[in-house]
Amino acid sequence: MIAAFVSVLAGLLSPAGTAAVRPDVANFGQVQFENSCAPSVQQSLQQGIALLHSFEFGEATATFRTVESVDPSCTIAAWGIALSNTERQGANRPARFLESGWKELQPWLSRPAKTERERMYLDAVSNLYEGYEKKSGDERWQRYIAAMKQLRSRYPEDREAAIFYALALTETAGSGKAGIEQRREALDILLPLFEENPKHPGVAHYILHAADTPELAEIALPAARRYAAIAQIG
């Protein structure tokens, strides 16, 4: 019963089901992504990240583009557009999307970011794209995961880095014992963060996806209840 509840709720939050979940973004949990962008774009930038955490990729992209138009030097807006463009498929997104996203990333990759941390975010997401014509999606996914692991290690206080790293582990977890262990690794990151900030939409959301197997479903029940309240499901 628990596994079925978690699986159904996770399904509601997948790209195919996001049309049914129309959050009030201004009140949609608590996200605090530290960045060097202009003060005038901070509210919109945080809203874009909240949308990204909720798999509202189209709206997230539109929000990040608005931020970029106001602050053309906002590296995190470019990162947000690039990550939103890959949706949940990541490095396995169809080539036509990766081609356009890769072209859009080029000007950002050719100039310095304001901070080392922001550059690491940009370099990490570029791994989902670079070599899409000849490198396998699995190889590019693994390069992205390695880059996010390095970012998390370099900035251990950056909760968002840990959250996005855990999501990548979840999205690439295969079947069988190895897949379960990879999901457990993601949960080991996410569950303590859930205790610290139960109103963060990404943490609660990603726990559902990480635990979306019969072996792990019971672990996700508190997060499932919390996210249902955050997203006003039901």
Side-chain angles (χ1 to χ4, degrees), residues 183-197:
R183 289 174 179 273
R184 287 189 187 278
E185 182 181 354
L187 289 167
D188 285 344
I189 296 167
L190 294 169
L191 290 170
L193 293 174
F194 180 67
E195 292 297 321
E196 294 173 14
N197 188 358

Side-chain angles (χ1 to χ4, degrees), residues 202-230:
V203 175
H205 186 182
Y206 301 157
I207 287 172
L208 300 185
H209 288 284
D212 190 18
T213 66
E215 297 91 340
L216 302 173
E218 189 170 1
I219 296 172
L221 190 55
R225 289 171 173 156
R226 168 59 61 181
Y227 196 78
I230 291 173

Side-chain angles (χ1 to χ4, degrees), residues 2-231:
I2 292 172
F5 172 69
V6 171
S7 183
V8 168
L9 186 54
L12 285 171
L13 301 172
S14 69
T18 51
V21 182
R22 307 308 307 166
D24 176 358
V25 179
N27 299 309
F28 194 45
Q30 296 177 351
V31 174
Q32 186 57 52
F33 193 112
E34 297 295 329
N35 64 88
S36 66
C37 302
S40 59
V41 303
Q42 289 303 316
Q43 183 177 2
S44 293
L45 186 62
Q46 302 302 331
Q47 289 179 357
I49 294 167
L51 286 162
L52 180 56
H53 279 311
S54 303
F55 296 164
E56 295 282 351
F57 300 111
E59 290 188 22
T61 298
T63 303
F64 289 129
R65 289 197 188 284
T66 298
V67 170
E68 190 178 37
S69 70
V70 176
D71 181 2
S73 67
C74 182
T75 299
I76 293 303
W79 162 83
I81 291 168
L83 193 57
S84 298
N85 180 58
T86 66
E87 299 196 347
R88 288 192 65 193
Q89 296 165 298
N92 294 322
R93 187 83 160 133
R96 67 182 184 277
F97 297 104
L98 296 176
E99 180 181 13
S100 61
W102 182 235
K103 288 179 180 177
E104 190 169 4
L105 267 177
Q106 295 308 299
W108 290 95
L109 294 172
S110 64
R111 64 182 189 236
K114 291 181 181 178
T115 71
E116 177 194 57
R117 172 177 163 272
E118 292 177 1
R119 180 67 197 202
M120 290 182 75
Y121 269 102
L122 199 65
D123 286 344
V125 77
S126 74
N127 285 302
L128 295 173
Y129 291 88
E130 188 173 9
Y132 70 90
E133 317 96 317
K134 50 190 175 183
K135 295 178 182 176
S136 70
D138 286 346
E139 180 181 351
R140 286 179 283 114
W141 257 124
Q142 291 306 313
R143 290 179 63 182
Y144 171 75
I145 290 172
M148 288 305 298
K149 185 176 183 179
Q150 183 179 21
L151 173 56
R152 182 187 174 218
S153 177
R154 179 73 177 84
Y155 295 95
E157 75 285 357
D158 184 352
R159 294 178 181 176
E160 294 294 321
I163 293 165
F164 281 109
Y165 172 60
L167 176 62
L169 292 174
T170 299
E171 299 288 29
T172 57
S175 58
K177 183 177 179 180
I180 293 294
E181 289 307 308
Q182 190 161 318
R183 289 174 179 273
R184 287 189 187 278
E185 182 181 354
L187 289 167
D188 285 344
I189 296 167
L190 294 169
L191 290 170
L193 293 174
F194 180 67
E195 292 297 321
E196 294 173 14
N197 188 358
K199 293 185 178 181
H200 189 293
V203 175
H205 186 182
Y206 301 157
I207 287 172
L208 300 185
H209 288 284
D212 190 18
T213 66
E215 297 91 340
L216 302 173
E218 189 170 1
I219 296 172
L221 190 55
R225 289 171 173 156
R226 168 59 61 181
Y227 196 78
I230 291 173

